[in-house]
Amino acid sequence: ESYAQSIKDDGIGWVTIYDSAYPRLLKEIYDPPVVIYYKGDILPQDQKALAVVGTRKMTGYGRVVTRQFTKELTWAGLTIISGLARGVDGEAHKTAIEAGGRTIAVLGGGLNQIYPPENRVLAQNIIAGHGAIISEFPPDYPPMPGNFPSRNRIISGLSLAVLVTEAAEDSGSLITARLALDQGREVFAVPGPITSSLSKGPIDLIKAGAIPVTNAAEILEELETLL
């Protein structure tokens, strides 16, 4: 009871896998978290969600592509899921907010340990009526490197599909994409210029069966029966 009160005092809510409010899509994956901690609001409409992920070292091309897709997907009524990381993740969250939509950030540490620190303001903007930040880790748990692959399964688990806009061949976002495939979710990839090393990740995904896309309408058409 003392622990529960301390969490509540920090403005943090929680939901367990046994609760009706637990996200339905996440419950369907092989190893869903038993408890989700959150700040902000998780709404029924967030069941219609799509993950937008990619490199932390985003190029100008990656920024344009990420913003274009995210804006159009947001306008179509989809909640944007990502990981609050530098680069593509942060750009996806910001664009969803600017487009008047909702976004959910899945953290690789506790909610009192926002990482990276430069995205603390972004996290506050998300909480302030634009969605939620969530984590399976206790509020003060540090964002250690080993947490992030575990975090990625929640990003894909909350989503109908995953879109990779720009990524190197060793990008962590490819873990999210592969987890999505394991979870039976669709994966979309934006083919980029062949001269860029940050096009290698999407190209490899396309070779492995991901759907290449050049605009948001193609994604919406593929997901039509799920929306």
Side-chain angles (χ1 to χ4, degrees), residues 207-226:
K207 289 178 180 177
I211 299 173
V213 288
T214 58
N215 58 67
E218 294 172 335
I219 295 176
L220 295 171
E221 184 178 353
E222 287 287 337
L223 297 179
E224 185 176 6
T225 59
L226 301 176

Side-chain angles (χ1 to χ4, degrees), residues 137-199:
F137 301 105
D140 294 313
Y141 200 82
M144 298 183 294
N147 299 353
F148 291 90
S150 176
R151 180 276 307 265
N152 292 345
R153 87 188 192 289
I154 299 177
I155 293 176
S156 56
L158 286 168
S159 309
L160 295 169
V162 171
L163 169 66
V164 180
T165 58
E166 186 178 47
E169 60 183 332
D170 59 349
S171 171
S173 62
L174 302 188
I175 297 175
T176 307
R178 294 183 184 111
L179 287 167
L181 290 172
D182 290 343
Q183 293 164 352
R185 310 286 158 83
E186 206 68 80
V187 174
F188 301 98
V190 181
I194 61 173
T195 53
S196 171
S197 62
L198 293 176
S199 297

